[in-house]
């Protein structure tokens, strides 16, 4: 563990340890030279780092606001360090699914659009991420999605190496590697069941996006967690969409095209999946409602929850109708909810509303 | 030769508003960066502060600062260099655009970037097409920040404090004047016209520029909708106070990008009504109340209402804008058979 206050390359001062991936330690640091917060990443002790530099250079060629920028790479005392854009927030997993069971289609449409744009930019630079999953995406602003940035492009070739080794050792789907296991729910079939020496292309990122959006919109893995995924994918057995997405006439006009898009991304044959550019175009056609979101606590529900009020600190209560609550969970008294609101009398009215954990 | 142990000159260089610019390879990451050698003088510290403020802003329309280094200059002096990300793309070109939707989107991006910059309290002072670059992803980046602020002292200084044609009339004064972000608004207005494939009248190229008639933009670009013409005309105003903020310009342009692309869905039980550009009106009639909602391409509003009708529990008034997500109620609370309709507006999102 690096002590806070340690300065690297004469300019990066470590502030705090903020995370540990399967292969690297992650710290928040300050770039003293240009006075900005950055992320410092370094391979875990004992991890091979022969490809760390190559990965950093690959990532450095992708420049887009939905991708965390790569700023610097250097070695000190033989150990490589990578400096990356800092996102003041949480991973997509923590920010959304850590708080809600699933997200409503309006939020989903916006998230999809950001991610598609980021993936398209990386594919334009001929960089395939290979390990897109919620823990590799940073979000600031919580449900407001102030910024959404895909990260760990630098680690992609590493992951590739781990996958390659696992594939060479026999069956990738029986690997004991934590990295492989964590990637399986989002891994395309051609990656999962590839033979040694096969190198699946950009379409694996599209599959991963589809699987990720399925999880965000439903709260479920499309093919199950961990080693369930290969079994289900082999049988072409995908989880069904929950009925709540389309039973409400208010949400179905957006849920339906979103489901179609996700299904396109989850095409069994890589050729059936849209390219990232095409996916961006399809996302740009989605009509959704994008208004700031607040978090509050449900109180004073009436008529067995048909309607009620949301209390939020420092602001007047907001009225809600149960029809505006997305999903199969009821907004009962004391439940935390995330919602947008519109003017009304005497209270503002919330729509859409999602129940928080 | 490596500069600061990291940057390898490629030999390509140019002279920008800020000073010499050299394209280098960043050996740490194997990618191109731009090294800008800053002109000597008391402004260096302020320019660096400004660059740091831009970093904090994190606008997608602003080029990322990567490093600040000091190199040996001539005669034993020390020069400050900024390393900035290299944007692979093409500059905006004068005379190359048609007044179509793509053009409005490009202007919207520039206005968004300028609004971001102004929000951070920074004035660009040299807005012109070849300081705007479209990157490979279609995102417009604003380049070359940091012109000296000491305007109007003498003609020699003046020659480098802006670009003739884009400099606001107040910059041509005899005495030193204080700048405001309105100089960027003026330059934006000129740029919006100069990018189009139509010849601009001589008023714009005079030193100082001469005013144009208040109907100029409308007659010059009849394809523009009235509101866009007006806001560009206002940018060109010789009265500084009359120019709009770039945030206002951005919002007006965004409105037009979304024109006729909204949808409102009204649901009652299993009945669905949709209002959009193909069907702009819904007239709900019942024995207890009537409500007529109309879409004008920008928003949905109440054309007429009578009887027992409420919108989000409030009384609808003629001309009132519909909240983008609301409930319409027919029938007062004394009635048993009240009717409720949900009303939801959605639209595609404008994203750079």
């Amino acid at each position: 563990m690096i002590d806070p206050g340690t300065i690297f390359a004469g300019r990066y001062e470590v502030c705090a340890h903020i995370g540990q991936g399967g292969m690297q330690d992650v710290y928040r640091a300050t770039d003293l030279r240009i006075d900005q917060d950055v992320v410092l990443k370094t391979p875990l002790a004992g991890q091979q780092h022969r490809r760390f530099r190559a990965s950093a250079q690959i990532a450095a060629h992708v420049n887009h606001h939905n991708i965390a920028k790569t700023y610097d790479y250097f070695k000190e005392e033989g150990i490589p360090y990578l400096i990356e854009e800092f996102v003041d927030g949480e991973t997509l997993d923590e920010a959304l699914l850590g708080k809600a069971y699933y997200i409503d289609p309006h939020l989903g449409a916006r998230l999809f659009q950001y991610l598609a744009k980021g993936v398209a930019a990386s594919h334009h630079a001929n960089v395939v991420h290979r390990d897109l999953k919620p823990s590799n995406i940073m979000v600031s602003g919580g449900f407001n999605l102030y910024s959404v940035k895909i990260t760990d492009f630098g680690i992609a070739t590493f992951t590739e190496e781990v996958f390659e080794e696992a594939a060479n050792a026999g069956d990738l789907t029986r690997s004991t590697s934590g990295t492989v296991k964590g990637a399986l729910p989002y891994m395309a079939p051609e990656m999962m069941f590839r033979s040694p020496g096969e190198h699946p292309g950009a379409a694996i990122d599209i599959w991963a996006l589809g699987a990720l959006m399925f999880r965000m919109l439903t709260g479920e893995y499309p093919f199950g967690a961990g080693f369930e995924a290969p079994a289900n994918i082999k049988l072409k057995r995908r989880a069904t969409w929950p009925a709540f997405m389309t039973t409400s006439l208010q949400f179905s006009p957006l849920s339906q095209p979103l489901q179609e898009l996700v299904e396109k991304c989850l095409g069994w044959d890589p050729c059936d999946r849209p390219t990232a550019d095409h996916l961006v175009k399809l996302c740009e056609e989605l009509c959704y409602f994008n208004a700031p979101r607040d978090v509050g606590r449900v109180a004073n529900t009436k008529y067995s929850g048909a309607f009620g009020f949301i209390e939020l600190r420092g602001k007047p209560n907001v009225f809600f109708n149960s029809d505006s609550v997305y999903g199969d969970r009821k907004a009962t008294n004391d439940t935390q909810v995330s919602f947008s609101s519109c003017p009304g009398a005497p209270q503002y009215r919330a729509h859409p509303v999602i129940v928080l954990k | 030769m490596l500069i600061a142990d990291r940057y390898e000159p490629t030999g390509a260089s140019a002279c920008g508003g800020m000073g010499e610019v050299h394209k280098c390879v960043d050996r740490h990451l194997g990618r191109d960066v731009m090294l800008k050698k800053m002109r000597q003088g008391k402004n260096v510290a302020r320019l660096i502060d400004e660059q740091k403020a831009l970093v904090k802003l994190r606008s997608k329309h602003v080029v990322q600062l990567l490093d600040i280094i000091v190199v040996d200059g001539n005669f034993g002096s020390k020069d400050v260099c900024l390393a900035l990300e290299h944007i692979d793309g093409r500059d905006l070109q004068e005379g190359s655009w048609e007044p179509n939707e793509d053009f409005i989107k490009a202007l919207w991006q520039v206005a968004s970037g300028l609004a971001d910059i102004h929000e951070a309290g920074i004035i660009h002072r040299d807005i012109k097409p070849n300081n705007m670059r479209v990157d490979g992803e279609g995102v417009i980046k604003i380049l070359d920040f940091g012109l000296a602020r000491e305007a109007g002292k003498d003609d020699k200084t003046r020659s480098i404090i802006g670009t003739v044609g884009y400099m606001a009339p107040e910059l041509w004064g005899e005495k030193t004047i204080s700048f405001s972000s309105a100089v960027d608004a003026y330059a934006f207005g000129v740029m919006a016209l100069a990018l189009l494939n139509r010849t601009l009248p001589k008023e714009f190229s005079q030193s100082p520029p001469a005013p144009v008639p208040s109907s100029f933009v409308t007659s010059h670009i009849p394809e523009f909708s009235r509101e866009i013409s007006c806001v560009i005309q206002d940018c060109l105003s010789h009265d500084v106070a009359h120019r709009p903020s770039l945030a206002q310009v951005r919002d007006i342009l965004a409105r037009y990008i979304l024109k006729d692309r909204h949808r409102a869905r009204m649901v009652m039980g299993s009945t669905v009504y949709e209002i959009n550009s193909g069907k702009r009106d819904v007239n709900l009639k019942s024995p207890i109340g009537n409500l007529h909602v109309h879409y004008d391409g920008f928003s949905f509003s109440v054309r007429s209402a009578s009887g027992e009708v409420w919108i989000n529990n409030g009384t609808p008034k003629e001309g009132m804008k519909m909240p983008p997500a609301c409930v319409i109620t027919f029938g007062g609370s004394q009635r048993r058979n009240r009717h409720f309709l949900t009303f939801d507006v959605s639209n595609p999102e404008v994203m750079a």
Side-chain angles (χ1 to χ4, degrees), chain A residues 70-189:
Chain A
T70 306
Y71 291 141
D72 204 351
Y73 164 87
F74 54 89
K75 269 183 168 180
E76 265 187 27
E77 293 173 15
I79 297 169
Y81 298 91
L82 175 73
I83 303 293
E84 204 182 77
E85 179 175 5
F86 173 71
V87 178
D88 194 4
E90 301 159 284
T91 67
L92 187 56
D93 246 349
E94 297 160 346
L96 304 185
L97 292 189
K99 299 188 173 65
Y101 298 91
Y102 32 72
I103 61 173
D104 62 275
H106 297 279
L107 193 57
R110 192 146 74 96
L111 177 67
F112 211 169
Q113 200 173 349
Y114 285 132
L115 295 175
K117 281 186 168 256
V119 169
S122 80
H123 288 184
H124 293 160
N126 292 317
V127 176
V128 182
H129 190 289
R130 295 175 204 281
D131 195 17
L132 279 176
K133 55 187 177 187
S135 59
N136 279 343
I137 293 161
M138 294 300 298
V139 169
S140 71
F143 293 101
N144 280 303
L145 299 184
Y146 290 148
S147 71
V148 174
K149 292 183 194 268
I150 304 170
T151 174
D152 277 343
F153 275 87
I155 220 69
T157 55
F158 266 130
T159 316
E160 168 69 7
E161 202 163 85
V162 173
F163 292 160
E164 177 88 35
E165 275 164 19
N168 286 338
D171 190 346
L172 190 143
T173 63
R174 291 174 196 279
S175 163
T176 50
S177 153
T179 303
V180 172
K181 192 179 173 199
L184 285 175
Y186 306 98
M187 194 184 288

Side-chain angles (χ1 to χ4, degrees), chain B residues 209-275:
Chain B
V212 287
S214 62
S215 61
F216 172 75
V217 178
T218 311
S219 55
H220 191 63
I221 323 282
E223 293 91 338
F224 278 166
S225 49
R226 200 186 58 83
E227 209 182 351
I228 291 182
S229 294
C230 283
V231 79
I232 293 174
Q233 183 83 43
D234 287 348
C235 287
L236 298 171
S237 175
H238 282 222
D239 175 3
V240 173
H242 195 67
R243 288 183 212 143
S245 71
L246 265 301
Q248 288 170 310
V249 178
R250 172 197 64 201
D251 293 346
I252 287 170
L253 293 168
R255 255 165 67 80
Y256 277 85
I257 294 171
L258 286 181
K259 186 179 179 220
D260 285 340
R261 299 179 69 192
H262 305 82
R263 299 201 308 214
R265 270 175 68 101
M266 301 161 85
V267 178
M268 184 171 64
S270 56
T271 316
V272 178
Y273 308 89
E274 184 164 314
I275 317 180

Side-chain angles (χ1 to χ4, degrees), chain B residues 257-296:
Chain B
I257 294 171
L258 286 181
K259 186 179 179 220
D260 285 340
R261 299 179 69 192
H262 305 82
R263 299 201 308 214
R265 270 175 68 101
M266 301 161 85
V267 178
M268 184 171 64
S270 56
T271 316
V272 178
Y273 308 89
E274 184 164 314
I275 317 180
N276 53 40
S277 59
K279 183 179 185 306
R280 293 185 184 273
D281 295 272
V282 160
N283 212 337
L284 300 166
K285 287 184 180 159
S286 80
I288 49 176
N290 301 314
L291 178 71
H292 178 178
V293 178
H294 174 75
Y295 175 49
D296 65 3

Side-chain angles (χ1 to χ4, degrees), chain B residues 78-89:
Chain B
K78 298 279 181 196
D79 285 330
V80 176
C81 281
L82 305 177
L84 298 160
E85 69 183 347
H86 172 253
I87 305 297
D88 202 7

Side-chain angles (χ1 to χ4, degrees), chain A residues 70 72 85 124 250 343 345, chain B residues 28 31 58 137 312-313 344:
Chain A
T70 306
D72 204 351
E85 179 175 5
H124 293 160
Q250 263 183 293
Chain B
H28 287 192
R31 67 175 172 193
R58 305 182 82 168
E137 299 303 311
N312 269 2
N313 216 22
D344 292 297

Side-chain angles (χ1 to χ4, degrees), chain A residues 11-12 31-36 53 56-57 59-65 69-74 82 85-88 106 110 113-114 117 120-122 124 149 249-250 252-253 284-290 321 323 342-349 351, chain B residues 6-7 26-32 52 55-56 58 60 62-69 85-87 135-137 139 141 261-263 265 267-272 311-315 323-327 342-352:
Chain A
R11 70 186 277 198
Y12 307 109
D31 177 354
L32 301 169
R33 197 169 297 164
I34 59 179
D35 200 10
Q36 90 172 325
R53 181 172 189 195
Q57 294 198 342
H61 283 86
V62 188
N63 187 0
H64 190 264
H65 47 273
K69 290 184 179 182
T70 306
Y71 291 141
D72 204 351
Y73 164 87
F74 54 89
L82 175 73
E85 179 175 5
F86 173 71
V87 178
D88 194 4
H106 297 279
R110 192 146 74 96
Q113 200 173 349
Y114 285 132
K117 281 186 168 256
S122 80
H124 293 160
K149 292 183 194 268
L249 284 172
Q250 263 183 293
S252 64
E284 280 172 349
E285 284 165 19
L286 294 170
C287 278
Y288 56 96
F289 177 50
N290 175 19
N321 187 294
D323 290 343
C342 281
Q347 283 92 2
Y348 271 46
R349 178 177 167 272
H351 182 85
Chain B
R6 180 168 182 181
Y7 306 105
D26 169 8
R27 295 285 291 268
H28 287 192
L29 290 166
R31 67 175 172 193
D32 292 340
K52 287 180 177 175
V55 166
K56 296 230 161 39
R58 305 182 82 168
K60 66 183 120 182
V62 173
V63 173
Q64 173 78 40
L65 172 68
L66 299 166
D67 204 352
I68 301 169
I69 56 174
E85 69 183 347
H86 172 253
I87 305 297
D135 76 6
E137 299 303 311
V139 178
K141 306 275 186 180
R261 299 179 69 192
H262 305 82
R263 299 201 308 214
R265 270 175 68 101
V267 178
M268 184 171 64
S270 56
T271 316
V272 178
I311 294 171
N312 269 2
N313 216 22
T315 313
C326 61
V327 168
T342 56
F343 177 95
D344 292 297
V345 178
S346 62
N347 54 263
E349 194 64 18
V350 192
M351 273 184 199

